[in-house]
Amino acid sequence: MKRLVLACLAVAALASCNGGRESRAAEEELPKQNPIVTATSTQPPPPVDVNQQLKSISPAIPLYAGAQYRDDLTRRDTVMIRNQYGPQAEVYTLASDDSFPQVYHYYVTYLAQFRAWAPQAPYPPEQQNWRTLEIPLNQAMQDPFIPGDTIPPAGKQVTLQVAETEAEPHTVIRYIVTPAPMQTASK
């Protein structure tokens, strides 16, 4: 019985033997039919100038100075925005490490110069875990106290969304641009 066990062990050891040579994964050849692609020649998209894009709609659109355009967040948000606002909607996502109350205060103070915008408290309410602000700028930015630019109500529609996040960056600012509303024939 003992000889049988030793014979089985010897056969098993010889079957897995590679001639006394240690094998390495690096020595194996790559498959010929499906080679591994090491690099692609695609160029990164040119940087987007959000300031220029929004100023082409109206120079009165406010941009928070501490926010930077984030292409990665914009690409992620594009899917959600197009599902909600339609396939022709565009989104420009900016991010800031400033706190939500700072960003909120800037936009609320800026929009207070327009009579069409219902005034809100200059600071967001306390004890709120998740804070957001959404403003249709075409409707809000009409009839300013100080003469200046407004957004044409019949032009491209711009919606401002400001959201507090639980991670970095602290505040996300989205400008959602949709095509001009359809003109209905009046009788």
Side-chain angles (χ1 to χ4, degrees):
M1 181 72 171
K2 190 174 186 181
R3 285 186 193 174
L4 182 60
V5 171
L6 288 175
C8 288
L9 287 174
V11 170
L14 289 174
S16 65
C17 184
N18 59 5
R21 193 172 66 96
E22 190 174 310
S23 67
R24 291 188 179 92
E27 292 177 1
E28 294 189 20
E29 290 185 33
L30 295 175
K32 302 290 185 204
Q33 292 180 351
N34 297 321
I36 296 174
V37 178
T38 57
T40 59
S41 62
T42 59
Q43 297 287 335
V48 175
D49 185 1
V50 176
N51 191 19
Q52 182 182 11
Q53 295 288 332
L54 295 176
K55 296 298 179 195
S56 70
I57 298 169
S58 171
I61 296 175
L63 280 171
Y64 186 71
Q68 298 293 320
Y69 174 75
R70 293 278 303 267
D71 187 55
D72 58 332
L73 297 177
T74 299
R75 280 184 275 126
R76 181 200 67 194
D77 291 344
T78 298
V79 174
M80 174 187 67
I81 296 303
R82 287 188 175 161
N83 283 338
Q84 185 175 357
Y85 291 91
Q88 295 178 339
E90 299 173 33
V91 63
Y92 304 102
T93 304
L94 289 79
S96 175
D97 285 329
D98 293 342
S99 68
F100 179 81
Q102 286 176 284
V103 177
Y104 177 94
H105 181 73
Y106 167 77
Y107 284 110
V108 168
T109 303
Y110 181 86
L111 293 171
Q113 70 175 315
F114 296 95
R115 291 182 181 97
W117 191 63
Q120 293 186 346
Y123 294 100
E126 293 287 329
Q127 304 300 325
Q128 203 171 357
N129 292 335
W130 191 265
R131 298 181 262 206
T132 61
L133 175 69
E134 183 171 322
I135 303 165
L137 294 179
N138 293 64
Q139 288 75 32
M141 296 177 66
Q142 300 298 318
D143 194 18
F145 286 106
I146 303 168
D149 292 321
T150 60
I151 298 180
K156 287 185 175 181
Q157 301 296 302
V158 181
T159 303
L160 170 70
Q161 289 183 347
V162 181
E164 180 179 43
T165 64
E166 293 178 347
E168 298 293 328
H170 295 297
T171 307
V172 174
I173 304 162
R174 290 182 195 95
Y175 291 91
I176 302 165
V177 180
T178 55
M182 296 288 291
Q183 300 293 329
T184 57
S186 59
K187 294 183 180 183

